[in-house]
Amino acid sequence: MNEHNLILMALALYVGAFVYALFLLEGRPLWGSWGHRALISAGWLLHTYALYQRAGVLQRCPVTNPFETMMFITWAVVLCYLIFGMTWRVSFLGPFALPLVIALCAFGLFPGLDRGRSDELQRSVWLSLHATLSLLAYGVWGLAGVTGAMYLLQERQLKTHRLRRLFLRLPAIERLDRTNYRLLVVGLLLLAVGMAFGFVVGVEFIKKDVPKTLWSFLVWAIYGGLTAAHATGRLHGRKIALGSVAAFLFLLATFGAVNMLSTAHRF
Amino acid sequence: MHIVVVGLSHQSAPIEVRERFAFTPGMLERALPVLRAAPGLDEGVIISTCNRVEVYGAASGAADAIHAADDFLHRFHKLEGRVESEIYRFEEPRSIEHLFRVVSGLDSMVLGETEILGQVKKAYEQALAAKTTGKALNQLFQKAFQVAKKIRSQTSITRGSVSVASVGVELAEKIFGDLGASQVMILGAGDTSEKAARALLSRGVRSVIVSNRTYERAVALATELGGRAVRFDSLGEEFVGVDIVISSIAATHQVLTRESLGTLMVARQNRPLFLIDLGMPRNIDPAVNELDNVYLYNVDDLQGIADDNMRARREDLARCDALIAENVARFQEWLRRLPPSAPKPCERSGPAGPASTPIASH
């Protein structure tokens, strides 16, 4: 079975998990939250197998064209959810992260996106690591954006005193704020290491690709600023949540364009 | 086999009548063997809470079982006159439906309360230990607990708080999560503030600070709540450390304004602050709610949420009834297939045997 079909099946399971989550939010679960987790995990396993299959062909992490990149980012978002959901006890993120995963997966499956490969990425191990870690960071920040959106939803209900059904299902805003901050830090570290691997490739290579390098620094600075503002107590709660959502939207909106401008390391 | 229930609750009888039938834990230990020996009843469970006293029985004849349970209730409590109108006596399917409604909190004083489930479980376990239950009642109570769990998870009947104090606690938990690290400040030693503070303490808040215009009253309340009293003029310093403020000061001016709180929030590094204004006139400028990370609720807001939650619970009653009806039908089906139990030794003696076993008194 080719990777596209595997991703399609994974996408169907993610959609199933999302529909199941809607029942969960309504308080009518068939197998409780376990059913939801099982559907997401099954989807992620298929997703992983699709990437593994493609990696076998490329002999590299499959992040060499827009299709692979989208699949890798969405895979990273689900992976983060599965890891942090269990270790930080924030499984409530799942139902809210799924619309993002589904939308990006569906976009990645558009015809024509699985074409053309970055030769540089195929040649250099360092550049491959750089791309992998950077995309993992974007995945983590994607989840931070979802957490931020959840914060804004819950905070609005608390501010307006209009408590809807969702109010009881959403976690405490302080818990969301803490989770958001942790995800910002994890993403920041991943991108920092990813960028360091990029530097290993050499200054010559960076010179060839000024827009992408500058953009990466800008993204790192935006997230770095948000993280620092939270750590020092300058910003807390709503503003950090807004920042998280806005930063990820900026990342999504500009990623494609910067990639197009990139001459050396498109992914 | 037939299931019956004989009893009285807050809906059928006033407390003056209910208390005459109540069983204390000690009395229950003596009552269960007496119930087991009652002729006409093969199995029995006694539920006695502040809102209800009920005897559930299983027997081969429904009318005899009702008579036996009724007789047991009167004779055990040595009641001379018979109480008729306040006692309900149900046969199937109403008896089964009644138990399902009771354990699900649908028959409680506060619709959807969950304490009753624990109370019924305890009563059933006591009956089980006293060996007064058999196949029919064991199955009935297990089914009832399953139904209660289903209703709890599949409907909104237990969701949302329905009293002002518990709404305050629920909101605090939706802001801070675990309240173990939170500090509460009470401004003014009012009755409702005290109730709200006690509710928060029961959820594990770290500490309580009390402040009042009369310092002695603050000290008295702080001692009662296990907290600390502070003078009214040193409130500003304390504000930096608190997370929840409950205010009910009799003042003509606002104790907290948007400007003063804006400055304090910077000193607090913008950590969230939950303000409950129970004062009349209001103690806190409503505009503080516009500040980031500040959440202000007055007594009308809290009552409004409690009312909304109660309305949501009532709206889900039809779904609960449907779930119960479905499970009652299923249980009756099972009951129909159950073979009648062997008669008790006292009943084996036939018409010449003793007509009734003497009821022990307490």
Side-chain angles (χ1 to χ4, degrees):
Chain A
M1 195 178 287
N2 74 23
E3 293 93 87
H4 283 252
N5 288 341
L6 284 167
I7 293 289
L8 264 175
M9 283 163 68
L11 185 60
L13 283 164
Y14 292 148
V15 171
F18 180 65
V19 173
Y20 186 92
L22 293 179
F23 280 99
L24 210 62
L25 290 172
E26 277 293 302
R28 273 172 272 175
L30 292 169
W31 305 285
S33 53
W34 284 104
H36 179 251
R37 256 174 257 166
L39 283 169
I40 295 190
S41 304
W44 184 78
L45 285 175
L46 282 173
H47 202 150
T48 308
Y49 187 64
L51 291 178
Y52 172 78
Q53 202 164 286
R54 180 61 66 97
V57 175
L58 298 174
Q59 293 297 306
R60 284 276 180 280
C61 184
V63 285
T64 61
N65 68 26
F67 162 77
E68 290 170 7
T69 304
M70 280 299 156
M71 293 314 123
F72 193 82
I73 291 179
T74 47
W75 177 84
V77 172
V78 183
L79 173 70
C80 286
Y81 160 69
L82 291 173
I83 294 175
F84 299 136
M86 275 190 275
T87 51
W88 295 345
R89 294 183 166 272
V90 286
S91 54
F92 52 80
L93 276 174
F96 294 90
L98 280 169
L100 175 75
V101 171
I102 292 165
L104 292 183
C105 253
F107 174 73
L109 283 168
F110 261 64
L113 293 181
D114 193 13
R115 245 183 260 151
R117 295 238 148 75
S118 160
D119 294 335
E120 298 283 354
L121 276 171
Q122 290 197 70
R123 272 200 299 272
S124 164
V125 177
W126 293 113
L127 206 55
S128 181
L129 272 171
H130 155 75
T132 307
L133 288 172
S134 305
L135 293 176
L136 269 174
Y138 304 156
V140 172
W141 283 335
L143 209 56
V146 170
T147 314
M150 287 165 74
Y151 182 101
L152 295 173
L153 257 177
Q154 186 75 314
E155 197 251 5
R156 176 143 188 82
Q157 297 191 77
L158 282 163
K159 275 281 187 196
T160 56
H161 305 171
R162 282 192 206 113
L163 312 181
R164 307 197 185 281
R165 246 178 192 198
L166 204 57
F167 177 76
L168 292 171
R169 294 283 167 186
L170 280 167
I173 51 169
E174 271 297 271
R175 205 162 151 215
L176 287 167
D177 183 68
R178 263 198 311 275
T179 306
N180 193 4
Y181 175 64
R182 284 167 162 182
L183 290 169
L184 289 178
V185 172
V186 172
L188 203 64
L189 291 175
L190 282 171
L191 189 63
V193 178
M195 283 168 75
F197 281 133
F199 281 111
V200 173
V201 181
V203 179
E204 281 309 306
F205 181 77
I206 293 166
K207 272 186 191 165
K208 280 200 286 182
D209 210 351
V210 175
K212 188 79 177 269
T213 308
L214 283 178
W215 179 83
S216 299
F217 273 113
L218 178 66
V219 169
W220 196 88
I222 290 171
Y223 277 101
L226 272 177
T227 313
H230 192 289
T232 55
R234 280 174 190 277
L235 295 181
H236 191 106
R238 186 167 180 271
K239 284 187 176 132
I240 289 288
L242 264 175
S244 245
V245 175
F248 189 66
L249 287 177
F250 168 78
L251 197 153
L252 271 186
T254 53
F255 181 73
V258 169
N259 245 353
M260 299 292 280
L261 288 174
S262 170
T263 49
H265 65 307
R266 281 186 188 184
F267 53 83
Chain B
M1 191 63 98
H2 295 276
I3 304 279
V4 299
V5 58
V6 174
L8 55 169
S9 73
H10 64 100
Q11 293 192 0
S12 69
I15 192 159
E16 296 79 30
V17 180
R18 293 203 309 272
E19 65 191 3
R20 288 162 62 199
F21 288 91
F23 293 87
T24 61
M27 279 162 75
L28 210 54
E29 266 177 41
R30 292 195 304 277
L32 282 166
V34 179
L35 182 68
R36 187 177 50 193
L41 275 179
D42 294 331
E43 302 173 31
V45 172
I46 303 168
I47 297 171
S48 182
T49 71
C50 55
N51 282 331
R52 68 185 65 249
V53 178
E54 291 175 341
V55 174
Y56 286 85
S60 44
D64 285 350
I66 284 183
H67 178 74
D70 200 353
D71 200 42
F72 160 78
L73 271 176
H74 283 87
R75 292 179 71 181
F76 187 84
H77 290 289
K78 290 183 182 166
L79 298 174
E80 285 175 8
R82 287 196 81 80
V83 176
E84 291 295 337
S85 60
E86 287 97 341
I87 291 186
Y88 42 81
R89 301 162 181 89
F90 300 147
E91 290 180 28
E92 289 156 37
R94 205 154 167 211
S95 52
I96 303 168
E97 185 195 317
H98 181 76
L99 178 65
F100 290 179
R101 288 182 67 83
V102 167
V103 290
S104 309
L106 304 184
D107 202 52
S108 297
M109 201 175 262
V110 178
L111 181 68
E113 63 98 2
T114 51
E115 202 184 340
I116 185 69
L117 179 60
Q119 290 169 326
V120 175
K121 271 187 179 168
K122 201 174 165 194
Y124 167 66
E125 276 157 20
Q126 274 179 297
L128 199 65
K131 295 188 170 64
T132 62
T133 62
K135 245 186 185 171
L137 285 191
N138 284 339
Q139 186 69 18
L140 173 71
F141 276 81
Q142 292 304 336
K143 187 78 190 169
F145 302 145
Q146 280 173 19
V147 170
K149 197 177 161 193
K150 229 183 239 182
I151 284 182
R152 213 160 152 173
S153 64
Q154 296 184 16
T155 73
S156 303
I157 207 73
T158 58
R159 267 178 233 156
S161 303
V162 290
S163 74
V164 167
S166 54
V167 167
V169 173
E170 190 171 80
L171 288 168
E173 285 179 331
K174 284 295 178 191
I175 295 170
F176 303 103
D178 178 19
L179 297 180
S182 304
Q183 187 159 233
V184 184
M185 178 186 270
I186 302 172
L187 299 179
D191 188 42
T192 320
S193 338
E194 189 186 327
K195 263 187 204 155
R198 282 191 195 282
L200 285 165
L201 276 168
S202 73
R203 299 308 284 255
V205 291
R206 182 163 56 92
S207 58
V208 179
I209 297 171
V210 185
S211 189
N212 197 54
R213 287 196 190 284
T214 321
Y215 183 65
E216 289 68 33
R217 280 198 70 188
V219 173
L221 183 59
T223 312
E224 216 173 292
L225 296 174
R228 180 165 61 90
V230 294
R231 294 198 180 273
F232 215 70
D233 44 17
S234 57
L235 277 182
E237 301 149 31
E238 299 290 343
F239 244 100
V240 177
V242 297
D243 305 290
I244 303 163
V245 178
I246 307 167
S247 181
S248 61
I249 302 169
T252 48
H253 68 283
Q254 286 167 338
V255 180
L256 267 178
T257 61
R258 192 191 153 116
E259 289 70 34
S260 61
L261 197 58
T263 319
L264 282 166
M265 285 305 284
V266 177
R268 293 169 47 80
Q269 292 198 315
N270 289 305
R271 282 182 298 107
L273 182 63
F274 179 32
L275 303 168
I276 303 176
D277 187 354
L278 302 173
M280 187 60 67
R282 284 177 291 177
N283 299 160
I284 304 170
D285 177 6
V288 301
N289 197 45
E290 290 160 18
L291 291 169
D292 269 353
N293 303 311
V294 176
Y295 304 93
L296 170 67
Y297 284 75
N298 62 38
V299 72
D300 281 2
D301 298 327
L302 299 178
Q303 189 59 58
I305 293 167
D307 292 345
D308 285 349
N309 288 340
M310 185 48 93
R311 210 169 301 129
R313 287 185 181 193
R314 286 204 189 101
E315 279 169 9
D316 245 11
L317 268 175
R319 273 174 68 198
C320 299
D321 288 340
L323 259 167
I324 285 175
E326 190 189 313
N327 283 283
V328 168
R330 242 182 255 164
F331 184 79
Q332 276 193 292
E333 195 57 44
W334 176 85
L335 200 62
R336 234 171 269 144
R337 291 197 301 267
L338 190 70
S341 60
K344 289 180 192 177
C346 60
E347 289 168 319
R348 252 182 239 130
S349 52
S356 65
T357 308
I359 300 275
S361 60
H362 53 278

